[in-house]
Amino acid sequence: MRSRSSPWRATGGHYEVLLRMLDERGELVSPASFIPIAGRFNLMGRIDCWVVRELLGQIRKHFDHLAGRCCRFAVNLSGASLGDENTLDFICNQLEKNAIPQGMVGFEVTETAAIANLAAADYFIRTLKQSGCDFALDDFGSGLSSFAYLKNLPVDYLKIDGSFVKGIEHDTIDRTMVEAINRVGHAMGQGEIALSRKPTQKHKDTI
């Protein structure tokens, strides 16, 4: 297995790690059902840590196979984790413990979570970037002051909110918004991912 300091060239598959829950009958429970409950009982940080531990452990276990495919993985983090230094320390320790190459794992946070506490988000993102992880700002454009704070967050990608993307073929305002985000992102050296949400799937296109 290569060392942590070795740069990772993710030229193969890019995967977003999504969490699903099974009920007592073995049937899938929608994230919209269990995540709000987990947030109400302050469990999101623990869930984030569990996902990170399981993912990095699986990467280490199957590293030779994944390395041959040059895979990269993205993990969604909750707003609760952004302000929790214990969660940050845990993630950094897991990256080191499992010798995950720099650039193989990235993280995503929603715009709403980031602007709720800009200082904590900035520190969290910068610390994990120093550990070799990149960051995407999810649902970008959903906030009222998106561009105002963007230059203060060291993110690598913008994931444009699907409410803008789904109408760009027919709505000139939506198209203009996406074009504006695209231009600003490129000016700041960021990549963009446009999300067009449908009831049964999530489609991604890189602009």
PDB file of all heavy atoms in Angstrom, residues 111 115 118 137 140-153 158 160 164 176-188 190 192:
ATOM      1  N   GLU A 111     -24.099  24.125   1.631  1.00  0.00           N
ATOM      2  CA  GLU A 111     -23.927  25.569   1.785  1.00  0.00           C
ATOM      3  C   GLU A 111     -24.568  26.052   3.080  1.00  0.00           C
ATOM      4  O   GLU A 111     -23.993  26.855   3.822  1.00  0.00           O
ATOM      5  CB  GLU A 111     -24.555  26.279   0.589  1.00  0.00           C
ATOM      6  CG  GLU A 111     -24.556  27.785   0.711  1.00  0.00           C
ATOM      7  CD  GLU A 111     -25.247  28.445  -0.464  1.00  0.00           C
ATOM      8  OE1 GLU A 111     -25.370  27.817  -1.522  1.00  0.00           O
ATOM      9  OE2 GLU A 111     -25.665  29.601  -0.311  1.00  0.00           O
ATOM     10  N   ILE A 115     -22.464  28.124   6.080  1.00  0.00           N
ATOM     11  CA  ILE A 115     -22.689  29.528   6.432  1.00  0.00           C
ATOM     12  C   ILE A 115     -23.249  29.675   7.843  1.00  0.00           C
ATOM     13  O   ILE A 115     -23.241  30.772   8.393  1.00  0.00           O
ATOM     14  CB  ILE A 115     -23.614  30.237   5.426  1.00  0.00           C
ATOM     15  CG1 ILE A 115     -25.010  29.624   5.424  1.00  0.00           C
ATOM     16  CG2 ILE A 115     -23.011  30.205   4.036  1.00  0.00           C
ATOM     17  CD1 ILE A 115     -25.990  30.340   4.518  1.00  0.00           C
ATOM     18  N   LEU A 118     -19.315  30.099   9.786  1.00  0.00           N
ATOM     19  CA  LEU A 118     -18.238  30.212   8.803  1.00  0.00           C
ATOM     20  C   LEU A 118     -16.866  29.949   9.399  1.00  0.00           C
ATOM     21  O   LEU A 118     -16.028  29.290   8.780  1.00  0.00           O
ATOM     22  CB  LEU A 118     -18.264  31.606   8.163  1.00  0.00           C
ATOM     23  CG  LEU A 118     -19.238  31.819   7.009  1.00  0.00           C
ATOM     24  CD1 LEU A 118     -19.190  33.269   6.552  1.00  0.00           C
ATOM     25  CD2 LEU A 118     -18.905  30.890   5.855  1.00  0.00           C
ATOM     26  N   LEU A 137     -18.669  22.119  -1.906  1.00  0.00           N
ATOM     27  CA  LEU A 137     -19.762  22.840  -1.261  1.00  0.00           C
ATOM     28  C   LEU A 137     -21.045  22.441  -1.969  1.00  0.00           C
ATOM     29  O   LEU A 137     -21.243  22.761  -3.141  1.00  0.00           O
ATOM     30  CB  LEU A 137     -19.522  24.345  -1.361  1.00  0.00           C
ATOM     31  CG  LEU A 137     -20.326  25.239  -0.419  1.00  0.00           C
ATOM     32  CD1 LEU A 137     -20.039  24.881   1.037  1.00  0.00           C
ATOM     33  CD2 LEU A 137     -19.991  26.699  -0.677  1.00  0.00           C
ATOM     34  N   PHE A 140     -24.990  24.473  -3.714  1.00  0.00           N
ATOM     35  CA  PHE A 140     -24.556  25.857  -3.821  1.00  0.00           C
ATOM     36  C   PHE A 140     -25.581  26.688  -4.581  1.00  0.00           C
ATOM     37  O   PHE A 140     -26.113  26.280  -5.608  1.00  0.00           O
ATOM     38  CB  PHE A 140     -23.199  25.965  -4.526  1.00  0.00           C
ATOM     39  CG  PHE A 140     -22.667  27.364  -4.557  1.00  0.00           C
ATOM     40  CD1 PHE A 140     -22.065  27.904  -3.439  1.00  0.00           C
ATOM     41  CD2 PHE A 140     -22.803  28.154  -5.690  1.00  0.00           C
ATOM     42  CE1 PHE A 140     -21.612  29.206  -3.445  1.00  0.00           C
ATOM     43  CE2 PHE A 140     -22.344  29.456  -5.708  1.00  0.00           C
ATOM     44  CZ  PHE A 140     -21.739  29.980  -4.579  1.00  0.00           C
ATOM     45  N   GLY A 141     -25.827  27.881  -4.065  1.00  0.00           N
ATOM     46  CA  GLY A 141     -26.800  28.795  -4.661  1.00  0.00           C
ATOM     47  C   GLY A 141     -28.096  28.853  -3.897  1.00  0.00           C
ATOM     48  O   GLY A 141     -28.938  29.713  -4.150  1.00  0.00           O
ATOM     49  N   SER A 142     -28.266  27.947  -2.918  1.00  0.00           N
ATOM     50  CA  SER A 142     -29.509  27.925  -2.154  1.00  0.00           C
ATOM     51  C   SER A 142     -29.551  29.020  -1.091  1.00  0.00           C
ATOM     52  O   SER A 142     -30.614  29.403  -0.619  1.00  0.00           O
ATOM     53  CB  SER A 142     -29.706  26.555  -1.484  1.00  0.00           C
ATOM     54  OG  SER A 142     -28.621  26.258  -0.626  1.00  0.00           O
ATOM     55  N   GLY A 143     -28.376  29.536  -0.693  1.00  0.00           N
ATOM     56  CA  GLY A 143     -28.321  30.610   0.297  1.00  0.00           C
ATOM     57  C   GLY A 143     -28.508  31.966  -0.348  1.00  0.00           C
ATOM     58  O   GLY A 143     -28.328  32.144  -1.555  1.00  0.00           O
ATOM     59  N   LEU A 144     -28.845  32.961   0.467  1.00  0.00           N
ATOM     60  CA  LEU A 144     -29.122  34.292  -0.064  1.00  0.00           C
ATOM     61  C   LEU A 144     -27.854  35.093  -0.339  1.00  0.00           C
ATOM     62  O   LEU A 144     -27.895  36.088  -1.036  1.00  0.00           O
ATOM     63  CB  LEU A 144     -30.013  35.056   0.933  1.00  0.00           C
ATOM     64  CG  LEU A 144     -31.412  34.477   1.154  1.00  0.00           C
ATOM     65  CD1 LEU A 144     -32.148  35.296   2.211  1.00  0.00           C
ATOM     66  CD2 LEU A 144     -32.198  34.451  -0.150  1.00  0.00           C
ATOM     67  N   SER A 145     -26.730  34.664   0.254  1.00  0.00           N
ATOM     68  CA  SER A 145     -25.490  35.442   0.091  1.00  0.00           C
ATOM     69  C   SER A 145     -24.350  34.542  -0.346  1.00  0.00           C
ATOM     70  O   SER A 145     -23.235  34.657   0.136  1.00  0.00           O
ATOM     71  CB  SER A 145     -25.131  36.136   1.412  1.00  0.00           C
ATOM     72  OG  SER A 145     -25.048  35.187   2.462  1.00  0.00           O
ATOM     73  N   SER A 146     -24.626  33.633  -1.284  1.00  0.00           N
ATOM     74  CA  SER A 146     -23.665  32.619  -1.682  1.00  0.00           C
ATOM     75  C   SER A 146     -22.318  33.199  -2.091  1.00  0.00           C
ATOM     76  O   SER A 146     -21.264  32.776  -1.612  1.00  0.00           O
ATOM     77  CB  SER A 146     -24.239  31.788  -2.834  1.00  0.00           C
ATOM     78  OG  SER A 146     -25.422  31.140  -2.438  1.00  0.00           O
ATOM     79  N   PHE A 147     -22.332  34.175  -3.004  1.00  0.00           N
ATOM     80  CA  PHE A 147     -21.082  34.725  -3.513  1.00  0.00           C
ATOM     81  C   PHE A 147     -20.339  35.533  -2.458  1.00  0.00           C
ATOM     82  O   PHE A 147     -19.112  35.621  -2.484  1.00  0.00           O
ATOM     83  CB  PHE A 147     -21.338  35.600  -4.738  1.00  0.00           C
ATOM     84  CG  PHE A 147     -21.817  34.831  -5.939  1.00  0.00           C
ATOM     85  CD1 PHE A 147     -22.793  35.351  -6.761  1.00  0.00           C
ATOM     86  CD2 PHE A 147     -21.279  33.593  -6.239  1.00  0.00           C
ATOM     87  CE1 PHE A 147     -23.234  34.647  -7.871  1.00  0.00           C
ATOM     88  CE2 PHE A 147     -21.714  32.875  -7.349  1.00  0.00           C
ATOM     89  CZ  PHE A 147     -22.693  33.399  -8.168  1.00  0.00           C
ATOM     90  N   ALA A 148     -21.058  36.119  -1.522  1.00  0.00           N
ATOM     91  CA  ALA A 148     -20.438  36.998  -0.532  1.00  0.00           C
ATOM     92  C   ALA A 148     -19.437  36.263   0.342  1.00  0.00           C
ATOM     93  O   ALA A 148     -18.395  36.805   0.697  1.00  0.00           O
ATOM     94  CB  ALA A 148     -21.510  37.652   0.333  1.00  0.00           C
ATOM     95  N   TYR A 149     -19.727  35.027   0.715  1.00  0.00           N
ATOM     96  CA  TYR A 149     -18.827  34.296   1.609  1.00  0.00           C
ATOM     97  C   TYR A 149     -17.971  33.272   0.884  1.00  0.00           C
ATOM     98  O   TYR A 149     -17.051  32.710   1.464  1.00  0.00           O
ATOM     99  CB  TYR A 149     -19.629  33.583   2.710  1.00  0.00           C
ATOM    100  CG  TYR A 149     -20.521  32.493   2.192  1.00  0.00           C
ATOM    101  CD1 TYR A 149     -20.001  31.237   1.875  1.00  0.00           C
ATOM    102  CD2 TYR A 149     -21.876  32.697   2.011  1.00  0.00           C
ATOM    103  CE1 TYR A 149     -20.813  30.245   1.383  1.00  0.00           C
ATOM    104  CE2 TYR A 149     -22.688  31.700   1.526  1.00  0.00           C
ATOM    105  CZ  TYR A 149     -22.153  30.459   1.216  1.00  0.00           C
ATOM    106  OH  TYR A 149     -22.958  29.483   0.722  1.00  0.00           O
ATOM    107  N   LEU A 150     -18.234  33.009  -0.400  1.00  0.00           N
ATOM    108  CA  LEU A 150     -17.539  31.941  -1.109  1.00  0.00           C
ATOM    109  C   LEU A 150     -16.023  32.117  -1.090  1.00  0.00           C
ATOM    110  O   LEU A 150     -15.276  31.153  -0.919  1.00  0.00           O
ATOM    111  CB  LEU A 150     -18.047  31.860  -2.555  1.00  0.00           C
ATOM    112  CG  LEU A 150     -17.375  30.798  -3.438  1.00  0.00           C
ATOM    113  CD1 LEU A 150     -17.575  29.408  -2.841  1.00  0.00           C
ATOM    114  CD2 LEU A 150     -17.947  30.860  -4.839  1.00  0.00           C
ATOM    115  N   LYS A 151     -15.563  33.360  -1.241  1.00  0.00           N
ATOM    116  CA  LYS A 151     -14.128  33.581  -1.300  1.00  0.00           C
ATOM    117  C   LYS A 151     -13.437  33.304   0.028  1.00  0.00           C
ATOM    118  O   LYS A 151     -12.203  33.242   0.082  1.00  0.00           O
ATOM    119  CB  LYS A 151     -13.826  35.015  -1.745  1.00  0.00           C
ATOM    120  CG  LYS A 151     -14.358  36.090  -0.804  1.00  0.00           C
ATOM    121  CD  LYS A 151     -14.065  37.474  -1.365  1.00  0.00           C
ATOM    122  CE  LYS A 151     -14.598  38.572  -0.449  1.00  0.00           C
ATOM    123  NZ  LYS A 151     -14.349  39.917  -1.014  1.00  0.00           N
ATOM    124  N   ASN A 152     -14.210  33.144   1.113  1.00  0.00           N
ATOM    125  CA  ASN A 152     -13.621  32.877   2.421  1.00  0.00           C
ATOM    126  C   ASN A 152     -13.610  31.400   2.778  1.00  0.00           C
ATOM    127  O   ASN A 152     -13.117  31.029   3.843  1.00  0.00           O
ATOM    128  CB  ASN A 152     -14.391  33.643   3.502  1.00  0.00           C
ATOM    129  CG  ASN A 152     -14.287  35.145   3.321  1.00  0.00           C
ATOM    130  OD1 ASN A 152     -13.204  35.664   3.081  1.00  0.00           O
ATOM    131  ND2 ASN A 152     -15.415  35.836   3.418  1.00  0.00           N
ATOM    132  N   LEU A 153     -14.159  30.550   1.915  1.00  0.00           N
ATOM    133  CA  LEU A 153     -14.161  29.111   2.171  1.00  0.00           C
ATOM    134  C   LEU A 153     -13.252  28.416   1.159  1.00  0.00           C
ATOM    135  O   LEU A 153     -13.472  28.538  -0.052  1.00  0.00           O
ATOM    136  CB  LEU A 153     -15.578  28.548   2.061  1.00  0.00           C
ATOM    137  CG  LEU A 153     -16.530  28.854   3.219  1.00  0.00           C
ATOM    138  CD1 LEU A 153     -17.922  28.339   2.899  1.00  0.00           C
ATOM    139  CD2 LEU A 153     -16.017  28.243   4.513  1.00  0.00           C
ATOM    140  N   LEU A 158     -17.852  23.220  -6.389  1.00  0.00           N
ATOM    141  CA  LEU A 158     -19.189  23.729  -6.086  1.00  0.00           C
ATOM    142  C   LEU A 158     -20.199  22.781  -6.717  1.00  0.00           C
ATOM    143  O   LEU A 158     -20.128  22.504  -7.911  1.00  0.00           O
ATOM    144  CB  LEU A 158     -19.396  25.133  -6.671  1.00  0.00           C
ATOM    145  CG  LEU A 158     -18.431  26.225  -6.215  1.00  0.00           C
ATOM    146  CD1 LEU A 158     -18.746  27.522  -6.963  1.00  0.00           C
ATOM    147  CD2 LEU A 158     -18.514  26.430  -4.718  1.00  0.00           C
ATOM    148  N   ILE A 160     -23.781  22.707  -7.713  1.00  0.00           N
ATOM    149  CA  ILE A 160     -24.857  23.672  -7.915  1.00  0.00           C
ATOM    150  C   ILE A 160     -26.194  23.056  -7.541  1.00  0.00           C
ATOM    151  O   ILE A 160     -26.521  21.937  -7.929  1.00  0.00           O
ATOM    152  CB  ILE A 160     -24.872  24.140  -9.380  1.00  0.00           C
ATOM    153  CG1 ILE A 160     -23.494  24.711  -9.770  1.00  0.00           C
ATOM    154  CG2 ILE A 160     -25.961  25.186  -9.596  1.00  0.00           C
ATOM    155  CD1 ILE A 160     -23.376  25.039 -11.232  1.00  0.00           C
ATOM    156  N   PHE A 164     -31.772  25.056  -9.558  1.00  0.00           N
ATOM    157  CA  PHE A 164     -31.359  25.913 -10.665  1.00  0.00           C
ATOM    158  C   PHE A 164     -31.128  25.109 -11.943  1.00  0.00           C
ATOM    159  O   PHE A 164     -31.428  25.555 -13.043  1.00  0.00           O
ATOM    160  CB  PHE A 164     -30.061  26.653 -10.325  1.00  0.00           C
ATOM    161  CG  PHE A 164     -30.191  27.602  -9.168  1.00  0.00           C
ATOM    162  CD1 PHE A 164     -29.418  27.444  -8.036  1.00  0.00           C
ATOM    163  CD2 PHE A 164     -31.084  28.652  -9.200  1.00  0.00           C
ATOM    164  CE1 PHE A 164     -29.531  28.305  -6.969  1.00  0.00           C
ATOM    165  CE2 PHE A 164     -31.213  29.521  -8.140  1.00  0.00           C
ATOM    166  CZ  PHE A 164     -30.428  29.347  -7.009  1.00  0.00           C
ATOM    167  N   THR A 176     -29.017  31.655 -16.415  1.00  0.00           N
ATOM    168  CA  THR A 176     -28.112  32.756 -16.080  1.00  0.00           C
ATOM    169  C   THR A 176     -27.455  32.536 -14.723  1.00  0.00           C
ATOM    170  O   THR A 176     -26.268  32.812 -14.540  1.00  0.00           O
ATOM    171  CB  THR A 176     -28.879  34.092 -16.073  1.00  0.00           C
ATOM    172  OG1 THR A 176     -29.472  34.304 -17.354  1.00  0.00           O
ATOM    173  CG2 THR A 176     -27.941  35.247 -15.755  1.00  0.00           C
ATOM    174  N   MET A 177     -28.220  32.008 -13.745  1.00  0.00           N
ATOM    175  CA  MET A 177     -27.662  31.713 -12.422  1.00  0.00           C
ATOM    176  C   MET A 177     -26.559  30.666 -12.515  1.00  0.00           C
ATOM    177  O   MET A 177     -25.487  30.813 -11.917  1.00  0.00           O
ATOM    178  CB  MET A 177     -28.777  31.233 -11.490  1.00  0.00           C
ATOM    179  CG  MET A 177     -29.727  32.322 -11.039  1.00  0.00           C
ATOM    180  SD  MET A 177     -28.938  33.488  -9.907  1.00  0.00           S
ATOM    181  CE  MET A 177     -28.606  32.423  -8.506  1.00  0.00           C
ATOM    182  N   VAL A 178     -26.809  29.605 -13.259  1.00  0.00           N
ATOM    183  CA  VAL A 178     -25.807  28.536 -13.403  1.00  0.00           C
ATOM    184  C   VAL A 178     -24.566  29.062 -14.108  1.00  0.00           C
ATOM    185  O   VAL A 178     -23.437  28.751 -13.721  1.00  0.00           O
ATOM    186  CB  VAL A 178     -26.409  27.336 -14.162  1.00  0.00           C
ATOM    187  CG1 VAL A 178     -25.321  26.308 -14.493  1.00  0.00           C
ATOM    188  CG2 VAL A 178     -27.506  26.670 -13.338  1.00  0.00           C
ATOM    189  N   GLU A 179     -24.766  29.881 -15.139  1.00  0.00           N
ATOM    190  CA  GLU A 179     -23.623  30.464 -15.849  1.00  0.00           C
ATOM    191  C   GLU A 179     -22.794  31.349 -14.921  1.00  0.00           C
ATOM    192  O   GLU A 179     -21.561  31.339 -14.963  1.00  0.00           O
ATOM    193  CB  GLU A 179     -24.108  31.263 -17.054  1.00  0.00           C
ATOM    194  CG  GLU A 179     -24.660  30.401 -18.184  1.00  0.00           C
ATOM    195  CD  GLU A 179     -25.300  31.227 -19.283  1.00  0.00           C
ATOM    196  OE1 GLU A 179     -25.524  32.452 -19.052  1.00  0.00           O
ATOM    197  OE2 GLU A 179     -25.578  30.676 -20.359  1.00  0.00           O
ATOM    198  N   ALA A 180     -23.468  32.117 -14.063  1.00  0.00           N
ATOM    199  CA  ALA A 180     -22.772  33.000 -13.127  1.00  0.00           C
ATOM    200  C   ALA A 180     -21.952  32.194 -12.125  1.00  0.00           C
ATOM    201  O   ALA A 180     -20.791  32.512 -11.845  1.00  0.00           O
ATOM    202  CB  ALA A 180     -23.776  33.898 -12.402  1.00  0.00           C
ATOM    203  N   ILE A 181     -22.557  31.142 -11.569  1.00  0.00           N
ATOM    204  CA  ILE A 181     -21.833  30.289 -10.625  1.00  0.00           C
ATOM    205  C   ILE A 181     -20.643  29.642 -11.303  1.00  0.00           C
ATOM    206  O   ILE A 181     -19.547  29.549 -10.741  1.00  0.00           O
ATOM    207  CB  ILE A 181     -22.781  29.219 -10.046  1.00  0.00           C
ATOM    208  CG1 ILE A 181     -23.866  29.879  -9.192  1.00  0.00           C
ATOM    209  CG2 ILE A 181     -22.005  28.200  -9.217  1.00  0.00           C
ATOM    210  CD1 ILE A 181     -24.970  28.925  -8.757  1.00  0.00           C
ATOM    211  N   ASN A 182     -20.835  29.206 -12.530  1.00  0.00           N
ATOM    212  CA  ASN A 182     -19.767  28.571 -13.293  1.00  0.00           C
ATOM    213  C   ASN A 182     -18.601  29.528 -13.500  1.00  0.00           C
ATOM    214  O   ASN A 182     -17.432  29.166 -13.303  1.00  0.00           O
ATOM    215  CB  ASN A 182     -20.317  28.089 -14.639  1.00  0.00           C
ATOM    216  CG  ASN A 182     -19.301  27.286 -15.422  1.00  0.00           C
ATOM    217  OD1 ASN A 182     -18.597  26.453 -14.866  1.00  0.00           O
ATOM    218  ND2 ASN A 182     -19.232  27.531 -16.718  1.00  0.00           N
ATOM    219  N   ARG A 183     -18.896  30.773 -13.873  1.00  0.00           N
ATOM    220  CA  ARG A 183     -17.831  31.755 -14.123  1.00  0.00           C
ATOM    221  C   ARG A 183     -17.070  32.090 -12.840  1.00  0.00           C
ATOM    222  O   ARG A 183     -15.840  32.163 -12.836  1.00  0.00           O
ATOM    223  CB  ARG A 183     -18.427  33.030 -14.736  1.00  0.00           C
ATOM    224  CG  ARG A 183     -18.871  32.874 -16.175  1.00  0.00           C
ATOM    225  CD  ARG A 183     -19.035  34.234 -16.842  1.00  0.00           C
ATOM    226  NE  ARG A 183     -20.039  35.039 -16.175  1.00  0.00           N
ATOM    227  CZ  ARG A 183     -21.342  35.016 -16.480  1.00  0.00           C
ATOM    228  NH1 ARG A 183     -21.775  34.214 -17.436  1.00  0.00           N
ATOM    229  NH2 ARG A 183     -22.194  35.783 -15.846  1.00  0.00           N
ATOM    230  N   VAL A 184     -17.814  32.304 -11.751  1.00  0.00           N
ATOM    231  CA  VAL A 184     -17.154  32.623 -10.479  1.00  0.00           C
ATOM    232  C   VAL A 184     -16.300  31.462 -10.009  1.00  0.00           C
ATOM    233  O   VAL A 184     -15.167  31.644  -9.550  1.00  0.00           O
ATOM    234  CB  VAL A 184     -18.202  32.991  -9.407  1.00  0.00           C
ATOM    235  CG1 VAL A 184     -17.545  33.122  -8.038  1.00  0.00           C
ATOM    236  CG2 VAL A 184     -18.899  34.293  -9.766  1.00  0.00           C
ATOM    237  N   GLY A 185     -16.822  30.242 -10.126  1.00  0.00           N
ATOM    238  CA  GLY A 185     -16.069  29.070  -9.712  1.00  0.00           C
ATOM    239  C   GLY A 185     -14.775  28.925 -10.487  1.00  0.00           C
ATOM    240  O   GLY A 185     -13.712  28.668  -9.912  1.00  0.00           O
ATOM    241  N   HIS A 186     -14.822  29.111 -11.792  1.00  0.00           N
ATOM    242  CA  HIS A 186     -13.608  29.007 -12.607  1.00  0.00           C
ATOM    243  C   HIS A 186     -12.623  30.124 -12.271  1.00  0.00           C
ATOM    244  O   HIS A 186     -11.413  29.910 -12.264  1.00  0.00           O
ATOM    245  CB  HIS A 186     -13.968  29.037 -14.091  1.00  0.00           C
ATOM    246  CG  HIS A 186     -14.429  27.725 -14.618  1.00  0.00           C
ATOM    247  ND1 HIS A 186     -13.595  26.642 -14.755  1.00  0.00           N
ATOM    248  CD2 HIS A 186     -15.658  27.297 -15.023  1.00  0.00           C
ATOM    249  CE1 HIS A 186     -14.268  25.614 -15.242  1.00  0.00           C
ATOM    250  NE2 HIS A 186     -15.526  25.984 -15.397  1.00  0.00           N
ATOM    251  N   ALA A 187     -13.139  31.307 -11.980  1.00  0.00           N
ATOM    252  CA  ALA A 187     -12.257  32.422 -11.622  1.00  0.00           C
ATOM    253  C   ALA A 187     -11.500  32.129 -10.331  1.00  0.00           C
ATOM    254  O   ALA A 187     -10.378  32.600 -10.132  1.00  0.00           O
ATOM    255  CB  ALA A 187     -13.070  33.709 -11.475  1.00  0.00           C
ATOM    256  N   MET A 188     -12.120  31.330  -9.442  1.00  0.00           N
ATOM    257  CA  MET A 188     -11.500  30.998  -8.168  1.00  0.00           C
ATOM    258  C   MET A 188     -10.769  29.664  -8.218  1.00  0.00           C
ATOM    259  O   MET A 188     -10.290  29.164  -7.196  1.00  0.00           O
ATOM    260  CB  MET A 188     -12.560  30.974  -7.068  1.00  0.00           C
ATOM    261  CG  MET A 188     -13.247  32.314  -6.874  1.00  0.00           C
ATOM    262  SD  MET A 188     -14.442  32.291  -5.525  1.00  0.00           S
ATOM    263  CE  MET A 188     -13.330  32.085  -4.128  1.00  0.00           C
ATOM    264  N   GLN A 190     -12.045  26.710  -8.995  1.00  0.00           N
ATOM    265  CA  GLN A 190     -12.854  25.607  -8.491  1.00  0.00           C
ATOM    266  C   GLN A 190     -13.530  24.883  -9.643  1.00  0.00           C
ATOM    267  O   GLN A 190     -13.773  25.446 -10.702  1.00  0.00           O
ATOM    268  CB  GLN A 190     -13.921  26.127  -7.522  1.00  0.00           C
ATOM    269  CG  GLN A 190     -13.346  26.780  -6.278  1.00  0.00           C
ATOM    270  CD  GLN A 190     -14.346  27.681  -5.591  1.00  0.00           C
ATOM    271  OE1 GLN A 190     -15.269  28.170  -6.216  1.00  0.00           O
ATOM    272  NE2 GLN A 190     -14.139  27.922  -4.304  1.00  0.00           N
ATOM    273  N   GLU A 192     -16.985  22.699 -10.932  1.00  0.00           N
ATOM    274  CA  GLU A 192     -18.415  22.732 -10.639  1.00  0.00           C
ATOM    275  C   GLU A 192     -19.042  21.410 -11.021  1.00  0.00           C
ATOM    276  O   GLU A 192     -18.662  20.780 -12.005  1.00  0.00           O
ATOM    277  CB  GLU A 192     -19.137  23.863 -11.410  1.00  0.00           C
ATOM    278  CG  GLU A 192     -18.746  25.253 -10.974  1.00  0.00           C
ATOM    279  CD  GLU A 192     -17.409  25.662 -11.554  1.00  0.00           C
ATOM    280  OE1 GLU A 192     -17.159  25.335 -12.715  1.00  0.00           O
ATOM    281  OE2 GLU A 192     -16.631  26.265 -10.825  1.00  0.00           O
TER     282      GLU A 192
END
